[in-house]
Amino acid sequence: MSDTSTDTGLRTVDGQPLKKALSAAQAKARRRAFLLVLPLLAFVIVTFIVPIGQMLHRSVYNADFTIHKDFGTREITPIMTNLSAWFDANLAGTDPDEAAFAALAADLVVLRELRAPGQVGTRINYEVSGTRSLFTKSARRAERLEPPYKEALLDIDEDWADPALWQAMRGASSPYTANFYLAAVDLARDADGSITQVNDNRKVYVKLFWRTLLLAALITVLCFILAFPVAHLLATLPLRYSNLLMIFVLLPFWTSLLVRTTSWIVLLQSQGVVNDILVTLGIVGDDGRMQMIYNQTGTIIAMTHILLPFMVLPLYSVMRPIDPSYVRAARSLGASSWTAFFRIYLPQTAPGIGAGALLVFILAVGYYITPALVGGSSGQLISNLIAFHMQGSLNWSLAAALASLLLAGVLILYWLYDRLVGIDNLKLG
Amino acid sequence: MALPKHASTLERIWHYVYLVICGLIFLFLIAPILIVIPLSFNSQPYFTFTKEMLSFDPAGYSLRWYDTLLTFGMNAPNAVRDGNWWRDVWNNSTWLQVAGNSLWIGLFSTILATVLGTLAALGLSRPEMPYRRAIMAILISPMIVPIIIVATGMFFFYSSIGLANSFIGVIMAHATLGIPFVIITVTATLIGFDHSLTRAAASLGANPTTTFFKVIMPLILPGVISGALFAFVTSFDEVVVVLFVADFDQQTIPRQMWNGIREQISPAILSVATLLVVVSICLLTVVELLRRRSEKLRGITQS
């Protein structure tokens, strides 16, 4: 149908072309639907998307070397300006000359007045360890320094000649940097600015990412092994009984995470219930009590328990409508019960397996609370390291870079989940 | 799942083995939750069953850990238990304070999440909703994104706008975390909703507001309440955001438990855990009753 035919064709009572009236009505309906969603969307954008955006910004931005903010007066002062000017004038790899040291000395005087050498030293310390005291020590004596500054500063500490230190300062003199992402994957810049691996004894992050992925995969497999028989039983029992048994799955789901974690501490500790039972039964001796908590084993057991309902529920909702007559037909055609199960029943549960496995894996990769409480040191995941950098070492930019990498991984999995399962099909209880 | 008459011996054996395996898995699921209940009545400071407890000797059981719970943080816990003592409990008992905080934060974040979430679910369940899939993905994402990332982002955001260490900050954060649950449960209820009912109401002269409160609301109420309960539990159980953005004044029950577990775990934690298990049993019961009512309203009968 062309436009001209509708113009001359059907019209509404008030004389408008029907097509136009319809599209106006549809646009109004769309607007109304959108307006209903708008308040929540705005709320989520403000309380969720903006904070995450700010975190992403923090992962590439660190102004500790360029700006000092007074906590009391909230006054903002640019710092290290002389040295930044020298870096702008000289290419990377230039050996620091007398002018560079003079600029540094002038900046150290400013730092001393602002009481900010600690802040700058900490920033450089992220990249060259042991340099924080270098800044505080030198700033204390900065006012008494006299030319030639190069010799005067080297007099205070020989480390001022370290090319790696000058490279780190050059990097930090611009607040936007990718160095925190490099650090998050165990890379660093060497003295002439090229990217290299860090020393083997300082490689922690890549190892921890791998451990997180492996543990999450292991927990997903364990959840699947435990959930499949239970979901199958629930799906094949009459609803009267399965609703009752479902309580066993739903009660853990509704119980506080900290309660469940506490229970596992109580059960698994060396003077706990499980060890006591094993000793009473004579399986292990009183002196051979097993260490099952505050290590990787503890993390795996507790997280499997906590995430199990997320596997049972999707499996159950896929298994419930499966018609048992397919398996019966297979059996009547001569398949063994083994073949009938693997060739007929299992393929029909694949959507549930995919949904449950993806969900459990996504949740496991970012888990924090349980590993922090029962993981000891060998059961820590990447989330725990992010928390450590946020609250312990206060290297917020590195924490943000690690979090951004984790976020990227989770978002890819989330996208995959949406494509394969559809978030509309997410069901709770 | 009854065993057919023609099953072979091997199949019979496997069937019973299978039932035993399922029983063990159910035990794995439920035992850790139930084990804390008797242990919280232990009269000794141990995390295991003493000889007296196993022989059901009354001396092995006591309420001392519940008493510790009540008196922790009081000015004069050992005074005579008269009116003044109870006033001291009300004003100073740490666990009562944090329980109060948990309830208020939970209540306000639930209201916020439920009102906004229900409205949005109504919009999202309309067929004419534009960009439905993308918006749904954004609104569900607080459930998927690791909590440590959410907490980190909120820490930066709240510090920069001055909402850190405030009740409003914690409430807004918890509402955000509860929203996905409200959206999921309410849209699930709306899937079975017959939209000709709203058209019928409109044709009989009801305006959209009347239609909503008289026709739509009664039908979706069970879903809305379950969503609200989910949101409440999410807030009631949340500890990481509180760790990052809350101050001493905004401590909640899980935050206090976190302290207890990290510093020195005492059986008093088990008595809190027991109380929380009782709460979760109540909540589960309510949600199950609501689900059955909702299915009945929507005409789904149980076979």
Short mmCIF file of all heavy atoms in Angstrom, two decimals, chain B residues 207-240:
data_model
loop_
_atom_site.label_atom_id
_atom_site.label_comp_id
_atom_site.label_asym_id
_atom_site.label_seq_id
_atom_site.Cartn_x
_atom_site.Cartn_y
_atom_site.Cartn_z
N ASN B 207 -10.79 5.53 34.74
CA ASN B 207 -9.57 6.15 34.25
C ASN B 207 -8.38 5.26 34.62
O ASN B 207 -8.51 4.33 35.41
CB ASN B 207 -9.42 7.57 34.80
CG ASN B 207 -9.34 7.60 36.31
OD1 ASN B 207 -8.88 6.65 36.93
ND2 ASN B 207 -9.83 8.68 36.91
N PRO B 208 -7.19 5.52 34.02
CA PRO B 208 -6.05 4.62 34.24
C PRO B 208 -5.72 4.39 35.72
O PRO B 208 -5.36 3.28 36.11
CB PRO B 208 -4.91 5.34 33.53
CG PRO B 208 -5.56 6.15 32.48
CD PRO B 208 -6.88 6.56 33.03
N THR B 209 -5.85 5.44 36.55
CA THR B 209 -5.53 5.27 37.97
C THR B 209 -6.49 4.30 38.64
O THR B 209 -6.08 3.38 39.36
CB THR B 209 -5.61 6.64 38.68
OG1 THR B 209 -5.11 7.64 37.80
CG2 THR B 209 -4.85 6.62 39.97
N THR B 210 -7.79 4.49 38.40
CA THR B 210 -8.78 3.58 38.97
C THR B 210 -8.53 2.16 38.48
O THR B 210 -8.56 1.20 39.25
CB THR B 210 -10.21 4.02 38.57
OG1 THR B 210 -10.28 5.42 38.69
CG2 THR B 210 -11.24 3.35 39.43
N THR B 211 -8.26 2.04 37.17
CA THR B 211 -8.01 0.72 36.60
C THR B 211 -6.84 0.05 37.32
O THR B 211 -6.90 -1.12 37.67
CB THR B 211 -7.67 0.82 35.10
OG1 THR B 211 -8.62 1.66 34.49
CG2 THR B 211 -7.65 -0.53 34.45
N PHE B 212 -5.79 0.85 37.56
CA PHE B 212 -4.61 0.28 38.19
C PHE B 212 -4.94 -0.24 39.58
O PHE B 212 -4.64 -1.37 39.93
CB PHE B 212 -3.49 1.31 38.26
CG PHE B 212 -2.28 0.81 38.97
CD1 PHE B 212 -1.44 -0.13 38.38
CD2 PHE B 212 -1.99 1.23 40.27
CE1 PHE B 212 -0.34 -0.62 39.05
CE2 PHE B 212 -0.88 0.74 40.94
CZ PHE B 212 -0.06 -0.18 40.33
N PHE B 213 -5.60 0.62 40.39
CA PHE B 213 -5.80 0.23 41.79
C PHE B 213 -6.92 -0.80 41.95
O PHE B 213 -6.87 -1.61 42.87
CB PHE B 213 -6.08 1.47 42.65
CG PHE B 213 -4.82 2.23 42.97
CD1 PHE B 213 -4.56 3.44 42.36
CD2 PHE B 213 -3.88 1.70 43.84
CE1 PHE B 213 -3.38 4.13 42.63
CE2 PHE B 213 -2.72 2.37 44.12
CZ PHE B 213 -2.46 3.59 43.50
N LYS B 214 -7.94 -0.77 41.07
CA LYS B 214 -9.08 -1.67 41.27
C LYS B 214 -8.95 -2.98 40.49
O LYS B 214 -9.51 -3.99 40.88
CB LYS B 214 -10.38 -0.96 40.83
CG LYS B 214 -10.73 0.24 41.65
CD LYS B 214 -11.58 -0.16 42.83
CE LYS B 214 -11.91 1.08 43.65
NZ LYS B 214 -12.61 0.78 44.88
N VAL B 215 -8.23 -2.95 39.36
CA VAL B 215 -8.18 -4.14 38.52
C VAL B 215 -6.78 -4.78 38.50
O VAL B 215 -6.63 -5.95 38.84
CB VAL B 215 -8.63 -3.82 37.07
CG1 VAL B 215 -8.56 -5.06 36.20
CG2 VAL B 215 -10.02 -3.24 37.08
N ILE B 216 -5.78 -3.97 38.15
CA ILE B 216 -4.44 -4.56 37.99
C ILE B 216 -3.84 -4.93 39.33
O ILE B 216 -3.39 -6.06 39.56
CB ILE B 216 -3.51 -3.57 37.24
CG1 ILE B 216 -4.13 -3.19 35.89
CG2 ILE B 216 -2.14 -4.17 37.05
CD1 ILE B 216 -3.34 -2.18 35.12
N MET B 217 -3.86 -3.98 40.26
CA MET B 217 -3.16 -4.16 41.53
C MET B 217 -3.60 -5.43 42.27
O MET B 217 -2.75 -6.22 42.69
CB MET B 217 -3.39 -2.91 42.40
CG MET B 217 -2.44 -2.78 43.54
SD MET B 217 -0.73 -2.62 42.98
CE MET B 217 0.08 -2.69 44.55
N PRO B 218 -4.92 -5.67 42.46
CA PRO B 218 -5.30 -6.88 43.21
C PRO B 218 -4.77 -8.15 42.55
O PRO B 218 -4.43 -9.11 43.24
CB PRO B 218 -6.83 -6.84 43.19
CG PRO B 218 -7.18 -5.45 42.93
CD PRO B 218 -6.10 -4.89 42.07
N LEU B 219 -4.68 -8.14 41.21
CA LEU B 219 -4.25 -9.36 40.52
C LEU B 219 -2.75 -9.58 40.63
O LEU B 219 -2.29 -10.71 40.69
CB LEU B 219 -4.67 -9.29 39.05
CG LEU B 219 -6.15 -9.55 38.81
CD1 LEU B 219 -6.51 -9.25 37.36
CD2 LEU B 219 -6.50 -10.99 39.13
N ILE B 220 -1.97 -8.47 40.60
CA ILE B 220 -0.52 -8.68 40.62
C ILE B 220 0.04 -8.56 42.04
O ILE B 220 1.24 -8.75 42.25
CB ILE B 220 0.24 -7.70 39.69
CG1 ILE B 220 0.04 -6.26 40.13
CG2 ILE B 220 -0.20 -7.89 38.25
CD1 ILE B 220 1.01 -5.31 39.45
N LEU B 221 -0.83 -8.27 43.02
CA LEU B 221 -0.34 -8.05 44.38
C LEU B 221 0.54 -9.18 44.92
O LEU B 221 1.59 -8.90 45.49
CB LEU B 221 -1.52 -7.77 45.32
CG LEU B 221 -1.12 -7.14 46.65
CD1 LEU B 221 -0.45 -5.81 46.42
CD2 LEU B 221 -2.34 -6.96 47.55
N PRO B 222 0.16 -10.45 44.73
CA PRO B 222 1.05 -11.50 45.26
C PRO B 222 2.46 -11.40 44.70
O PRO B 222 3.44 -11.53 45.45
CB PRO B 222 0.37 -12.79 44.80
CG PRO B 222 -1.05 -12.44 44.58
CD PRO B 222 -1.05 -11.02 44.12
N GLY B 223 2.56 -11.12 43.40
CA GLY B 223 3.90 -10.98 42.79
C GLY B 223 4.64 -9.79 43.36
O GLY B 223 5.84 -9.87 43.62
N VAL B 224 3.90 -8.68 43.56
CA VAL B 224 4.54 -7.48 44.09
C VAL B 224 5.07 -7.75 45.50
O VAL B 224 6.20 -7.39 45.84
CB VAL B 224 3.55 -6.29 44.10
CG1 VAL B 224 4.16 -5.09 44.79
CG2 VAL B 224 3.16 -5.94 42.69
N ILE B 225 4.25 -8.45 46.31
CA ILE B 225 4.70 -8.71 47.69
C ILE B 225 5.90 -9.65 47.68
O ILE B 225 6.87 -9.43 48.42
CB ILE B 225 3.55 -9.28 48.54
CG1 ILE B 225 2.44 -8.23 48.65
CG2 ILE B 225 4.04 -9.65 49.93
CD1 ILE B 225 1.23 -8.69 49.42
N SER B 226 5.89 -10.69 46.83
CA SER B 226 7.08 -11.56 46.80
C SER B 226 8.30 -10.77 46.38
O SER B 226 9.38 -10.96 46.94
CB SER B 226 6.96 -12.75 45.85
OG SER B 226 5.69 -13.16 45.67
N GLY B 227 8.13 -9.90 45.38
CA GLY B 227 9.25 -9.07 44.95
C GLY B 227 9.76 -8.21 46.08
O GLY B 227 10.97 -8.10 46.30
N ALA B 228 8.81 -7.62 46.84
CA ALA B 228 9.21 -6.77 47.96
C ALA B 228 9.96 -7.59 49.01
O ALA B 228 10.97 -7.12 49.55
CB ALA B 228 7.97 -6.13 48.58
N LEU B 229 9.50 -8.82 49.26
CA LEU B 229 10.20 -9.66 50.25
C LEU B 229 11.60 -9.98 49.78
O LEU B 229 12.56 -9.95 50.55
CB LEU B 229 9.42 -10.95 50.51
CG LEU B 229 8.14 -10.76 51.33
CD1 LEU B 229 7.39 -12.08 51.45
CD2 LEU B 229 8.48 -10.24 52.71
N PHE B 230 11.74 -10.27 48.47
CA PHE B 230 13.08 -10.53 47.91
C PHE B 230 13.97 -9.30 48.13
O PHE B 230 15.13 -9.42 48.54
CB PHE B 230 12.99 -10.82 46.42
CG PHE B 230 12.95 -12.28 46.08
CD1 PHE B 230 11.81 -12.85 45.55
CD2 PHE B 230 14.06 -13.07 46.30
CE1 PHE B 230 11.77 -14.20 45.24
CE2 PHE B 230 14.03 -14.41 46.00
CZ PHE B 230 12.88 -14.98 45.46
N ALA B 231 13.40 -8.12 47.82
CA ALA B 231 14.19 -6.89 47.97
C ALA B 231 14.58 -6.69 49.43
O ALA B 231 15.71 -6.30 49.73
CB ALA B 231 13.40 -5.69 47.45
N PHE B 232 13.65 -6.98 50.34
CA PHE B 232 13.94 -6.81 51.75
C PHE B 232 15.06 -7.75 52.19
O PHE B 232 16.01 -7.35 52.87
CB PHE B 232 12.69 -7.06 52.59
CG PHE B 232 12.91 -6.83 54.06
CD1 PHE B 232 12.94 -5.55 54.57
CD2 PHE B 232 13.10 -7.90 54.92
CE1 PHE B 232 13.16 -5.33 55.92
CE2 PHE B 232 13.33 -7.69 56.27
CZ PHE B 232 13.35 -6.40 56.77
N VAL B 233 14.96 -9.01 51.76
CA VAL B 233 15.99 -9.98 52.15
C VAL B 233 17.35 -9.58 51.58
O VAL B 233 18.37 -9.69 52.26
CB VAL B 233 15.59 -11.40 51.67
CG1 VAL B 233 16.76 -12.34 51.73
CG2 VAL B 233 14.45 -11.91 52.51
N THR B 234 17.33 -9.08 50.34
CA THR B 234 18.59 -8.63 49.74
C THR B 234 19.24 -7.57 50.60
O THR B 234 20.44 -7.62 50.88
CB THR B 234 18.32 -8.04 48.34
OG1 THR B 234 17.57 -8.98 47.60
CG2 THR B 234 19.61 -7.75 47.62
N SER B 235 18.44 -6.59 51.05
CA SER B 235 19.00 -5.54 51.89
C SER B 235 19.39 -6.08 53.26
O SER B 235 20.44 -5.75 53.80
CB SER B 235 17.97 -4.43 52.05
OG SER B 235 18.30 -3.62 53.15
N PHE B 236 18.54 -6.94 53.81
CA PHE B 236 18.74 -7.48 55.16
C PHE B 236 20.01 -8.33 55.23
O PHE B 236 20.58 -8.51 56.29
CB PHE B 236 17.52 -8.34 55.51
CG PHE B 236 17.29 -8.49 56.98
CD1 PHE B 236 16.96 -7.40 57.76
CD2 PHE B 236 17.39 -9.73 57.59
CE1 PHE B 236 16.74 -7.55 59.12
CE2 PHE B 236 17.18 -9.88 58.94
CZ PHE B 236 16.84 -8.78 59.72
N ASP B 237 20.43 -8.87 54.10
CA ASP B 237 21.54 -9.82 54.06
C ASP B 237 22.80 -9.19 53.46
O ASP B 237 23.80 -9.86 53.28
CB ASP B 237 21.10 -11.02 53.21
CG ASP B 237 22.06 -12.17 53.35
OD1 ASP B 237 22.78 -12.22 54.36
OD2 ASP B 237 22.11 -13.02 52.45
N GLU B 238 22.74 -7.89 53.14
CA GLU B 238 23.82 -7.29 52.37
C GLU B 238 24.92 -6.80 53.31
O GLU B 238 24.66 -6.13 54.30
CB GLU B 238 23.26 -6.12 51.56
CG GLU B 238 24.06 -5.79 50.33
CD GLU B 238 25.38 -5.21 50.66
OE1 GLU B 238 25.46 -4.39 51.59
OE2 GLU B 238 26.37 -5.59 50.02
N VAL B 239 26.17 -7.12 53.01
CA VAL B 239 27.24 -6.68 53.91
C VAL B 239 28.33 -5.89 53.18
O VAL B 239 28.91 -4.99 53.76
CB VAL B 239 27.82 -7.89 54.67
CG1 VAL B 239 28.41 -8.91 53.74
CG2 VAL B 239 28.87 -7.45 55.66
N VAL B 240 28.58 -6.17 51.91
CA VAL B 240 29.76 -5.60 51.25
C VAL B 240 29.59 -4.09 51.05
O VAL B 240 30.50 -3.31 51.35
CB VAL B 240 30.04 -6.30 49.92
CG1 VAL B 240 31.32 -5.78 49.32
CG2 VAL B 240 30.16 -7.79 50.12
#
